[in-house]
Each structure stands twice: as C-alpha cells, then as structure tokens.
Amino acid sequence: MNLLPPTTDHSAPDLSRLLGRDYWMVTSTPVDGTTAEAIAALAPAHIAWLLDLEQRHLVFLSGPLVSGPGAGPGSGVTVLRASDEAEATTIASADPFVTAGLRTFVVHQWRLNEGSVSMRLSLGRGTYEWQ
C-alpha cells in the first residue's frame, strides 16, 4: 500500500466532479442466538443468492463484517444497484439468512462520491490483483 503525504493544496475542490451515484447499502445484523454453525450451514445458499444477484448486475459490493461494533456470525454489508428503497428491501428480504430468521437488515440510500479502485488484470495468465 502506497501512503502518500497529505496534499498541500488546500483550495476548494470542484464539487461538480464528485461521482454522486446513488446505491442502496444493506446493513445486516444477526438476531440474538445466531451461531456460527447456523450461518455456516446456510452460507452456500447465501453465496449462491449473492452470485445470482451479481450476475444480474444488482450487487455492487458485499461481504461480512469481521470486526467492530455489531460484528458477529451473519453480520455484513451489501451495496445494491436498485431503482428505489422498495426494490432494495425486496431484494434484501430474499436473503437466505433473512428468510431463515438468522438476521435482520436495514436499508440505507448511499451516495458514492469519492474513492479509488485499482485492479491489474493479466489476460495471458488469467490472474488479477485487487488494490
């Protein structure tokens, strides 16, 4: 990871250049009593559900929370490409962890403005490096 020193240019940024793209962030919380074993048993169905959503271009990002407040078996964040809150809620309601009663969720409208993504893809070697 390359940590650059802070910029010395303190002029006002051009806010019109921010991405300003809206997504729906689903924060998932395990219900009391949810065990790692219960999550592991349904993980294949949950991942298959997410991969189907990904193939349909509905999932932007997704993954478990591994530390911090509220992290535990079944906690996670998924960012959806949905037309509105109702569609995002419908999608999140179909999560096998939710339908099995192992976790609940909250839907937030999330505006992506800043950030950076880098990836090196080797077509000849069939490899990638995510940064």
Side-chain angles (χ1 to χ4, degrees):
M1 181 180 217
N2 186 2
L3 297 177
L4 301 175
T7 180
T8 56
D9 179 9
H10 296 290
S11 59
D14 179 0
L15 300 181
S16 70
R17 297 184 55 88
L18 296 177
L19 182 60
R21 180 162 296 162
D22 287 351
Y23 295 92
W24 297 92
M25 181 176 66
V26 179
T27 55
S28 298
T29 306
V31 299
D32 289 339
T34 296
T35 64
E37 294 78 21
I39 293 298
L42 273 180
H46 171 74
I47 292 168
W49 171 75
L50 282 168
L51 292 175
D52 176 64
L53 294 174
E54 181 183 294
Q55 184 175 357
R56 293 168 33 208
H57 304 286
L58 293 172
V59 169
F60 175 48
L61 303 165
S62 187
L65 294 174
V66 295
S67 69
S75 62
V77 174
T78 298
V79 180
L80 298 171
R81 295 178 184 100
S83 58
D84 56 29
E85 184 175 0
E87 181 184 16
T89 299
T90 298
I91 293 168
S93 296
D95 178 348
F97 290 153
V98 172
T99 61
L102 296 178
R103 72 181 187 186
T104 61
F105 64 89
V106 177
V107 174
H108 309 266
Q109 187 172 4
W110 179 58
R111 181 158 300 142
L112 178 57
N113 280 332
E114 310 86 9
S116 171
V117 175
S118 298
M119 184 176 66
R120 180 180 174 156
L121 174 65
S122 171
L123 300 174
R125 297 184 189 276
T127 61
Y128 72 93
E129 179 181 330
W130 180 265
Q131 301 174 347

